[in-house]
Amino acid sequence: HRIQALTGCDSIVTLNLTVKSDCDKPCPGVLINGVCWARSNVDKPGTFASTPEAFGMLYQWNRKKAWAHNTDTTGWDDTDAGGEYWNANNDPCPYGWRVPTQEDLNSIKNCYVREGYVLKMTDPTTEKSMIMPYTSQRIYYGTYYEKVSWLYWVNAAYDNDEAFVITNTPNLRATTRPKKWALPVRCVADWNVPECEDKEEEVEVTIDKNKLPYTWRDTVFQEGTVSGTYVFHRIQALTGCDSIVTLKLTVAQEAKPCPGVLINGVCWARSNVDAPGTFAHTPEADGMLYQWNRKKGWSPTGDISGWDANLPSGDNWNKTNDPCPAGWRVPNAEEINTLLDESKVNRLMTTQTGIFGGKFTDKGNGNAVFFPVVNHRKPEDGSVHPGDFGYYWSASPANTDEAWALYCYMETAFFKTELPKNGGYSLRCVADEDISDCKIVTEEAYDTICAHDLPYTWRDTLFYRDAKTGVYLFRRIQALTGCDSIVQLHLTVQDIPPHEFSAMVCQGENYNEYGFNLPKVMRDTIVRDTLQTRWGCDSIRILYLTVHPKHDTIVYDTVCQEEPYHGYGFSLTKAETSTEGTITRDSIYQSIHGCDSTVHLNLFVGKSYLFETPREV
C-alpha cells in the first residue's frame, strides 16, 4: 500500500509470493545426465586432487586409508574389508560427496570418448564435460602395478572377496576387482547431506587455581585466569557450520599470581626495561637508561644527541611517563626498601652468566632476582660513566633535584640513595595491582602463515591442521588487573595445494615439460619439486612420469639368389638379391605410445646353381 508522490492517491499492489520448500540444489561439480560428479579424483581423505588429470591417491574398498603411487606401503592390510556397501564412516570423499553407486554409472555410460589417457564425459544437453584419467593401481600385498588402466571403485560389494568397479573394457560397464586392491575414487554429490545447523553447547568447569595453566579442549588458560564466562566461536571442519561453546569457568581460591619474581611480598620484573613498554630479553641484559619522570630511553653505550640536562618536574613519576610495560610500574621507595630487609631477603654481589650484579633471594620462598651493574649517563651532558655501580630508579622524589634509588656496590653494599633527577639510570619495574581504573583492552592483530606450518601456536592458542583463513576473537582476563582483554586476530592461511602432472616419455629420451628437466629417462619415476610463493610458502609440484620402452629386434632369414624377398615388413627386389652374401636392412616403426621400435634384418642370399643334363630323344 503506497501513496503516489505526484497525486496523493492510494496505490495498492497485491503480490502473490510462493516460497518453495524444496528447491533444486546447485551442482558443485559437473552435472552429467542428472548426476553431479566431482571434477577430480580423491587425494588425501576429505580432499580432492588439485587438477582433473591428477591421479589422486589410491584406496582399498571400504577403507579410508590413502596409499600413494609407487612409494612405501608399510602397514598394508591384505585382508578383505567386510560389509555389503561402503560404510559412510570409511568414505574418503569430502563432506557433501560419496563413493558412486552402480545406478550412478548409468549417467556416463553412453556419453564418453577416449582422449589419450583420459575418458571425457559430456552431458548431451548442457555440453559440460569432465575427464577421468587412466591411473596405476596397487594389487596384492600392496604391489605397485605401474601399467595405467581405467578402473574406479563403486560403493557395492560383489561377494566377500570382491567389489564392483567401473571399467571401460570393452565398453563402460561394471565389473569386479579384489577388495584388497587399491584403486582411485571419483565421488558424486550426496544430496542427502543434512542442512547446516549451528551447534551450541554450554559447559561448566570448576578448577583449582593451583591447576593453572589449564588446558580445556584447544585453549590454554594461563596463570592469572579468573572465574567467568568464556564464549568460543569455531567453524566445524567437516560441515562448515558454526559451533558456539559457552564455558562457565570457576577458578577456586582465586589469587593474582606474580608474573615476575615474588621477593618479600613485592612482584619484581625479571629483567630491566629496554625500549619504552618492553623488557630486555634476559635478566643479565642492560636494557636502556632513563631520566627520572621521563619516558625517553637512552642506550647505555655510545654517543648520543638531544640530551635534556634540565631537571624533570613532578612530585612523583607520572603514569603517562612510565616506560614500564602494561601491568607494570616504576617501584616506589618503600618497595625498594623491601629488598634491603635483611630479616627476609639475602643479598649478594655476584656474577651471573658472566655479568656482574646484585642478587636478591627471598628467605621464605627461595625466589631470586638479579640486577646487573650497568653504565649510567651523567646529568650535565649525558656522557657515559662506566658501570662500577648499579643504580635503579624509584618513583619517589627525595627533594626538588633528586629522587630515591637503589644503589649496588662492592660485595654486600646495598643502599637507598639519592640521585640527580636529570641523570640516566636503569629501571626495574614492579607489578601494578591498581585496578581502580579498569578498562577493557582491545587489540587488532594480523598474522599470515603457510598451511604447512600448521599446527601453529599463536600466543596461548594452538591452531590445528584444519585452521582456515578468518577472523578469530579471543576474550581473556588480564592476569594483573582482572579486566577484559579482547584480541581480534585476522589470520591468513596461505594454502598452496600441490600441483600434480602426469606425463609419458620414451625410454632413453629427455623430458622437458612443466618446468621439469630430466635427461635420458630410463624407468618410471615420481619427481617432487618445491618452489616458494611470494608469501614464502612452499609450492610443491609432483610429476608422475611413465616411461615406455623402445624395442630393438634382430631377425635372421634366407632367400635364393635373384629371388624377391618379402618378410618382417621388408621387401627386396630380384636386383637386390642378385649377389650371394648377407644383406642387412633396418626399419623403424612407432609404437602406440609414439616410441621408436627398430627391426634389424640379416638376410642371407644363397647362390643359385644351373645343372645341365644332356639327353637324347
Side-chain angles (χ1 to χ4, degrees), residues 420-432:
K421 294 179 179 179
N422 53 348
Y425 303 100
S426 299
L427 191 56
R428 181 64 65 94
C429 308
V430 294
D432 185 4

Side-chain angles (χ1 to χ4, degrees), residues 194-450:
E195 294 292 334
C196 187
E197 294 182 0
D198 291 343
K199 181 180 178 182
E200 295 189 17
E201 180 184 3
E202 288 193 4
V203 181
E204 295 185 9
V205 174
T206 300
I207 61 171
D208 189 274
K209 71 178 184 65
N210 296 322
K211 298 293 184 180
L212 297 169
Y214 172 72
T215 300
W216 184 80
R217 298 186 182 177
D218 62 349
T219 299
V220 178
F221 291 94
Q222 302 290 352
E223 291 184 6
T225 300
V226 297
S227 298
T229 300
Y230 299 82
V231 179
F232 301 89
H233 180 196
R234 297 288 188 270
I235 303 299
Q236 300 175 48
L238 291 177
T239 65
C241 304
D242 284 348
S243 174
I244 300 173
V245 180
T246 301
L247 170 66
K248 296 180 179 179
L249 179 66
T250 301
V251 182
Q253 300 177 4
E254 295 175 5
K256 289 184 179 179
C258 170
V261 183
L262 191 66
I263 305 290
N264 193 15
V266 177
C267 183
W268 292 88
R270 299 180 187 276
S271 55
N272 290 351
V273 176
D274 200 36
T278 66
F279 286 127
H281 292 301
T282 66
E284 299 82 14
D286 290 348
M288 299 190 77
L289 305 179
Y290 291 85
Q291 295 173 293
W292 191 84
N293 199 22
R294 287 178 179 157
K295 200 170 184 177
K296 181 175 177 59
W298 301 92
S299 170
T301 60
D303 295 332
I304 58 172
S305 61
W307 182 262
D308 186 355
N310 295 315
L311 285 169
S313 60
D315 296 331
N316 210 325
W317 201 305
N318 192 293
K319 193 170 184 178
T320 59
N321 296 331
D322 194 327
C324 291
W328 301 84
R329 58 175 172 78
V330 180
N332 56 42
E334 290 74 19
E335 288 163 332
I336 285 181
N337 276 333
T338 64
L339 292 176
L340 307 177
D341 185 351
E342 294 183 353
S343 66
K344 296 181 180 179
V345 180
N346 288 327
R347 58 185 191 266
L348 175 68
M349 294 299 288
T350 185
T351 298
Q352 181 166 299
T353 62
I355 303 298
F356 187 64
K359 185 176 183 180
F360 300 86
T361 304
D362 190 296
K363 292 181 177 181
N365 59 30
N367 292 341
V369 65
F370 182 77
F371 287 65
V373 169
V374 184
N375 297 340
H376 61 269
R377 289 193 177 272
K378 297 177 182 179
E380 61 273 14
D381 57 8
S383 59
V384 173
H385 188 286
D388 299 328
F389 316 101
Y391 294 110
Y392 285 83
W393 278 124
S394 86
S396 304
N399 51 58
T400 303
D401 300 334
E402 297 172 316
W404 292 110
L406 177 67
Y407 170 48
C408 311
Y409 177 60
M410 298 174 60
E411 289 301 316
T412 57
F414 295 85
F415 303 100
K416 186 177 71 172
T417 188
E418 303 96 338
L419 294 176
K421 294 179 179 179
N422 53 348
Y425 303 100
S426 299
L427 191 56
R428 181 64 65 94
C429 308
V430 294
D432 185 4
E433 298 184 357
D434 181 12
I435 60 172
S436 59
D437 190 23
C438 187
K439 293 182 179 180
I440 294 177
V441 177
T442 60
E443 179 187 356
E444 294 274 348
Y446 297 83
D447 205 356
T448 298
I449 62 172
C450 302

Side-chain angles (χ1 to χ4, degrees), residues 27 30-37 103-112 121-130 188 191:
C27 171
V30 180
L31 194 67
I32 306 290
N33 289 325
V35 176
C36 182
W37 290 84
E103 290 74 17
D104 294 327
L105 305 187
N106 294 329
S107 67
I108 58 175
K109 277 186 175 180
N110 300 310
C111 60
Y112 72 94
M121 290 77 173
T122 303
D123 185 281
T125 302
T126 65
E127 296 185 354
K128 291 184 178 180
S129 300
M130 70 168 183
V188 296
W191 301 120

